[in-house]
Amino acid sequence: MKISDIKIYKVKPRWIFIKILTDEGITGWGEMISGTKTETVVAGAEEMGKKIIGRNPFEIERIWQELHRSFFRGGPINGTIISGIEMALWDIKGKALNVPVYELLGGAVRDKIRVYSWIGGDRPSDVAKQARERVDNGFTAIKMNATSELHYVDSYKKVQAVVDRVASIRDEVGDDLEIGIDFHGRVHRPMAKVLAKALEPYHPMFLEEVVLPENWDSFDDIAREVSIPLATGERLYTRWAFKNLFRQGAVDIVQPDVAMCGGILETRKIAAEAESFDMACAPHAPYGPVSLAATLQVDACTPNVFIQEQSLGIHYNQGFDLLDFVKNKEIFQYKDSYVQLPKKPGLGIEMDEDMIKDVAQQGLVWSNPSWKNYDGTIAEW
């Protein structure tokens, strides 16, 4: 079997699908992240894709090594391109061997996968009402953004507003609902310590990206302040970028993104390394259907995954949602906050290519929000 062609589709709201074709008619789907550089990612994928035409799609690790080790390596652009190609190759291999991908990575270690749901939006609001809705729909865990803009040192009124929102959830649904609180890298070290301490009485499931990953040395300070598990990893690429976190020992939960960190096997390697440090894994997956399907394959065979992000109905999905592009919609059917293990070969997902082609004709222009502080300085989004 040889790789014969590659097709790339840009689709709303913010997804880039890659389809790899073979001379034996078996195809595989992958997904790349657009971020604010959609055309750059597409151009890079086309350039890198030419290098693997005619190659054996079963040689996933060999191809990955050649694409990654190209002198200049790492970063979000290369990371997401390699990830998209890699998951498509796994899709092909699983289909060719007629097994789900996780069967090729050691087999299932669990019977089902726990998932959580997003509430609140970019600037969190109506969280108590939305938490009640999620509970009524069977979810036992949610995640919300903690705050909007915060300066390096900001008003305690903003901290109190975060506390009041979380308290409103506890007042509405009690302690049975697990709450992940995402600082989203918006909070700088001086305020991160204050905010984390103020949230401790409400027993969050975890605090995510309490500071930006490049400020990883601050995790130690915050971990000493609070007993809440700390999580990070969505902006890190390949296992090498996680080394400082493992050595430091302050973070409790790693969150590699299968569509960014290098793909399915790289995510599995990162999770395995975390397991050796007695750390949990909760993969990042707020994007489209292919990346979520690929992530579920990792979850199925990874013992230290305890919960999975999923993006049905997330605030970014304006106009189209995951199920719009999927034929076998049952793959993302949630019951009592769990999803069943994928059963179909490969990634287990059947994409609606006619729908993808139709939406791709509309074009894709996605840009992350641009925020500013009260004094005009740039605020982290």
Side-chain angles (χ1 to χ4, degrees):
M1 185 186 299
K2 303 295 182 184
I3 297 171
S4 59
D5 198 8
I6 292 177
K7 296 183 179 179
I8 300 173
Y9 299 102
K10 299 174 290 184
V11 298
K12 295 178 179 179
R14 56 176 188 157
W15 307 324
I16 307 171
F17 299 138
I18 181 169
K19 182 182 181 183
I20 297 181
L21 294 77
T22 68
D23 58 358
E24 294 187 15
I26 299 176
T27 61
W29 286 91
E31 182 178 331
M32 301 175 292
I33 299 168
S34 64
T36 56
K37 300 179 177 67
T38 300
E39 298 305 323
T40 305
V41 171
V42 170
E46 291 173 345
E47 182 177 24
M48 294 173 73
K50 293 176 182 177
K51 297 180 180 180
I52 65 172
I53 299 296
R55 299 291 298 276
N56 178 359
F58 276 28
E59 294 182 344
I60 299 172
E61 180 69 15
R62 176 182 285 188
I63 290 173
W64 190 96
Q65 290 284 338
E66 290 179 11
L67 294 179
H68 170 70
R69 295 165 65 177
S70 55
F71 191 77
F72 295 109
R73 59 188 69 179
I77 304 301
N78 280 349
T80 196
I81 293 169
I82 294 172
S83 298
I85 290 172
E86 194 261 11
M87 68 179 83
L89 295 179
W90 278 112
D91 196 23
I92 290 170
K93 192 165 189 173
K95 289 173 180 175
L97 299 177
N98 199 34
V99 293
V101 169
Y102 63 81
E103 294 289 6
L104 304 174
L105 298 174
V109 297
R110 65 184 76 247
D111 301 320
K112 55 187 177 180
I113 302 165
R114 190 183 183 204
V115 298
Y116 64 81
S117 182
W118 267 92
I119 67 168
D122 244 359
R123 289 185 167 93
S125 61
D126 297 325
V127 292
K129 176 184 176 183
Q130 293 177 46
R132 168 56 65 188
E133 291 172 352
R134 299 304 189 273
V135 170
D136 291 345
N137 287 332
F139 284 98
T140 60
I142 56 94
K143 188 168 80 174
M144 58 181 282
N145 282 317
T147 183
S148 53
E149 301 93 333
L150 270 185
H151 218 314
Y152 277 83
V153 176
D154 214 320
S155 165
Y156 195 83
K157 289 176 61 177
K158 293 185 179 179
V159 174
Q160 189 61 49
V162 177
V163 171
D164 290 344
R165 280 192 290 272
V166 176
S168 72
I169 296 175
R170 289 288 180 232
D171 292 341
E172 177 67 30
V173 299
D175 293 327
D176 291 336
L177 183 69
E178 302 279 4
I179 307 173
I181 302 177
D182 191 354
F183 285 30
H184 214 258
R186 298 171 180 174
V187 188
H188 298 280
R189 175 181 170 178
M191 297 303 294
K193 294 190 293 183
V194 175
L195 185 54
K197 192 70 175 178
L199 288 169
E200 194 166 25
Y202 300 93
H203 306 119
M205 177 170 55
F206 56 75
L207 301 180
E208 180 174 334
E209 282 205 315
V210 290
V211 292
L212 288 167
E214 55 261 39
N215 296 325
W216 62 271
D217 46 330
S218 294
F219 284 124
D220 248 344
D221 298 327
I222 298 166
R224 282 193 291 266
E225 292 288 331
V226 297
S227 59
I228 308 167
L230 303 183
T232 196
E234 69 184 66
R235 307 190 211 200
L236 300 179
Y237 325 108
T238 76
R239 74 203 88 143
W240 290 278
F242 283 80
K243 282 167 49 172
N244 282 336
L245 296 183
F246 296 134
R247 289 169 176 162
Q248 183 185 39
V251 169
D252 306 286
I253 304 163
V254 293
Q255 298 174 300
D257 190 317
V258 75
M260 179 64 74
C261 76
I264 290 173
L265 186 55
E266 193 67 11
T267 302
R268 183 66 188 91
K269 290 175 181 178
I270 292 164
E273 193 169 1
E275 183 186 6
S276 74
F277 284 87
D278 203 23
M279 297 166 67
C281 183
H284 183 251
Y287 300 110
V290 184
S291 65
L292 181 56
T295 308
L296 295 181
Q297 298 292 330
V298 177
D299 296 336
C301 62
T302 305
N304 56 330
V305 167
F306 74 100
I307 201 164
Q308 178 57 56
E309 180 175 27
Q310 59 81 32
S311 56
L312 273 174
I314 197 171
H315 45 281
Y316 304 117
N317 295 352
Q318 301 297 317
F320 297 95
D321 213 328
L322 278 73
L323 296 181
D324 294 329
F325 299 99
V326 179
K327 290 183 178 179
N328 59 327
K329 302 182 189 304
E330 69 276 4
I331 188 175
F332 301 137
Q333 183 175 348
Y334 310 125
K335 182 178 180 182
D336 298 329
S337 214
Y338 286 92
V339 65
Q340 295 303 306
L341 303 190
K343 300 300 183 185
K344 292 182 178 294
L347 298 185
I349 193 168
E350 297 175 13
M351 299 298 288
D352 187 341
E353 191 166 8
D354 290 336
M355 178 68 170
I356 291 169
K357 288 179 178 178
D358 181 57
V359 175
Q361 292 178 359
Q362 301 178 30
L364 172 61
V365 179
W366 167 266
S367 181
N368 291 341
S370 178
W371 288 1
K372 291 185 177 181
N373 292 308
Y374 53 81
D375 59 359
T377 55
I378 293 175
E380 299 291 343
W381 169 72

